[in-house]
Amino acid sequence: MFIRSLKTAALSAAVLALAGCEGGVLDPKGQVGVDEKSLIIIATVLMLLVVIPVIAMTLYFAWKYREGREHEIYAPKWAHSGKIETTVWLIPVVIVVILGVITWRSTHALDPYQPLEHERDPLTVEVVSLNWKWLFIYPEQGVASVNELVIPTDVPVQFKITSESTMNSFFIPQLGSQIYSMAGMETRLHLIANEPGTFEGFSANYSGAGFSDMHFDAIAMSDAGFENWVTKLKSGNPTLDSKRYAALAKPSEDHPIEHFGAVSDGLFHQIIHKYMQNYNTWNQAPSNTTAHKSMKHGSTPKHHGEAEDQS
C-alpha cells in the first residue's frame, strides 16, 4: 500500500513538474515520442522508489541520533540484521529485474528499423547529412529540399539516412528516436507525427565548425497541404543532379532553405556507393604489388600451371 501511494505521488509530481515543458522529448507530438516519454517516466519512478526512501532515512537518522539525544539506544557492538540485509538487497534486485524486463520489451518495440504498424502506407524520405546542412529527397514525389522537412500528419515516415562525409545524428526530439548518419552506409528510422505543427530537428553529434547551425524545421501538415507543397516545388525550381549536388555538398554554414523540383534517378544510392567505386582496384592491389616486387628483383612472375625449373 505504501509503495503504491509513493508511486502515485512520484508520478503526480513528475507530471506536474513536466507540465510546463514545451518542445523536446518531454513534449512528444508523435506515437514513438509518446512511448519514449512513458518509458522515461516509468524508469524514473521505479528508481525513485529507492532514492526517495534512502534520502528520507538519511535525514531521519541524522535527526534522530543527533548530539544530545542520550535517551536513544546506543549499541556499539551491533553487527548484523538479517531483516535489514534482506530489505536493502531484495528491493533493488526486484527493481532492477522490473527495469530489465521493461527495457527488453521497449527496446524491441521501439526499434528504429522496425516499420510502424499503421493503416496507411509509409512515406519514404531519403536523408543526407552534409557539412553543415540537411538534404531531404522524396523519391516517390521526385522533389528535394534543404533544411526543410515536410511530412503529412498521421502518416508513418520511413527515413533512409546517410552522410556525405562526417558522422552526424538525425534527431527530431518531439517525434522520437535519433539515429546516426554515416558515409557509405544507410541507416533507417521510422517516425510519425500525430498532429500538425513545426518541430525542431538538428544533428545531435558534433561534426565541425558549422555544427551549431545544422538544424531544420520538420513541418507536419494535412495531406492536401503536403500535396500542395510538392506541387509548388515542382514548378519553377531546378533539378538536383550530380553537378548541383557537388556544389551543394561543399561546406557552408547557416545554409538557407532550398528547393528542387526534380531529382536525378538513383542520386541517393550514388551518394552511398561513391566510396565503393574503387573497391575492385583496391582489392587487387596486393597481388599487383607482389608482381611488381618480383619483377623489380629480376624474376618473371609465374602463370598459373607453369612448372618450376628443376635444373
Side-chain angles (χ1 to χ4, degrees):
M1 187 65 182
F2 171 74
I3 294 178
R4 181 180 299 177
S5 301
L6 183 61
K7 181 178 178 180
T8 302
L11 182 59
S12 301
V15 171
L16 290 174
L18 301 175
C21 296
E22 293 184 1
V25 296
L26 299 179
D27 183 25
K29 301 301 181 182
Q31 187 57 49
V32 176
V34 171
D35 293 342
E36 290 179 349
K37 178 182 177 181
S38 299
L39 178 61
I40 292 173
I41 293 177
I42 292 173
T44 302
V45 169
L46 285 173
M47 289 183 285
L48 287 176
L49 292 178
V50 172
V51 175
I52 291 179
V54 169
I55 293 175
M57 286 189 293
T58 301
L59 297 175
Y60 173 72
F61 290 143
W63 173 82
K64 180 177 177 63
Y65 297 103
R66 67 189 185 277
E67 185 180 3
R69 302 274 289 185
E70 290 83 3
H71 62 281
E72 297 293 348
I73 299 176
Y74 176 60
K77 295 184 179 180
W78 181 88
H80 179 76
S81 170
K83 293 181 179 179
I84 295 178
E85 196 76 19
T86 301
T87 302
V88 299
W89 279 105
L90 183 60
I91 294 178
V93 167
V94 171
I95 292 176
V96 169
V97 170
I98 295 174
L99 282 173
V101 173
I102 293 174
T103 302
W104 174 266
R105 292 180 176 178
S106 60
T107 298
H108 288 82
L110 296 172
D111 181 1
Y113 277 66
Q114 180 177 319
L116 303 177
E117 295 183 2
H118 201 274
E119 58 185 8
R120 300 187 62 176
D121 295 331
L123 168 70
T124 299
V125 180
E126 297 168 341
V127 182
V128 183
S129 62
L130 306 166
N131 290 336
W132 286 276
K133 47 194 169 284
W134 292 95
L135 170 64
F136 302 101
I137 301 173
Y138 296 77
E140 298 166 357
Q141 289 73 27
V143 297
S145 63
V146 177
N147 286 342
E148 183 181 62
L149 171 66
V150 177
I151 57 176
T153 306
D154 288 325
V155 175
V157 183
Q158 174 186 237
F159 294 99
K160 298 181 178 181
I161 306 169
T162 191
S163 175
E164 165 63 24
S165 55
T166 57
M167 184 188 301
N168 279 283
S169 179
F170 179 76
F171 191 24
I172 309 173
Q174 288 184 274
L175 297 187
S177 308
Q178 63 172 312
I179 197 164
Y180 283 96
S181 63
M182 294 170 278
M185 297 180 63
E186 176 186 315
T187 53
R188 296 195 178 189
L189 178 64
H190 293 82
L191 298 175
I192 188 172
N194 294 133
E195 59 183 80
T198 300
F199 317 117
E200 181 185 13
F202 55 85
S203 172
N205 185 79
Y206 180 75
S207 58
F211 163 77
S212 59
D213 293 319
M214 194 172 174
H215 48 76
F216 61 91
D217 287 333
I219 306 171
M221 57 179 62
S222 64
D223 290 351
F226 177 73
E227 293 298 332
N228 291 336
W229 180 79
V230 172
T231 302
K232 183 179 178 181
L233 259 63
K234 289 184 176 181
S235 60
N237 288 306
T239 299
L240 180 61
D241 52 19
S242 299
K243 184 177 180 180
R244 281 199 173 91
Y245 175 78
L248 183 65
K250 294 179 180 179
S252 63
E253 298 183 27
D254 198 16
H255 194 89
I257 293 175
E258 192 173 355
H259 296 145
F260 298 94
V263 181
S264 297
D265 292 339
L267 179 61
F268 181 75
H269 292 92
Q270 292 174 20
I271 297 170
I272 294 178
H273 294 294
K274 72 176 185 176
Y275 294 103
M276 306 298 289
Q277 291 178 0
N278 299 322
Y279 172 76
N280 291 330
T281 303
W282 172 85
N283 195 36
Q284 295 173 2
S287 60
N288 292 338
T289 303
T290 303
H292 176 73
K293 289 182 179 180
S294 299
M295 295 179 68
K296 185 175 180 181
H297 288 82
S299 60
T300 303
K302 297 181 179 62
H303 297 286
H304 179 70
E306 181 179 347
E308 293 185 359
D309 187 5
Q310 301 295 329
S311 59

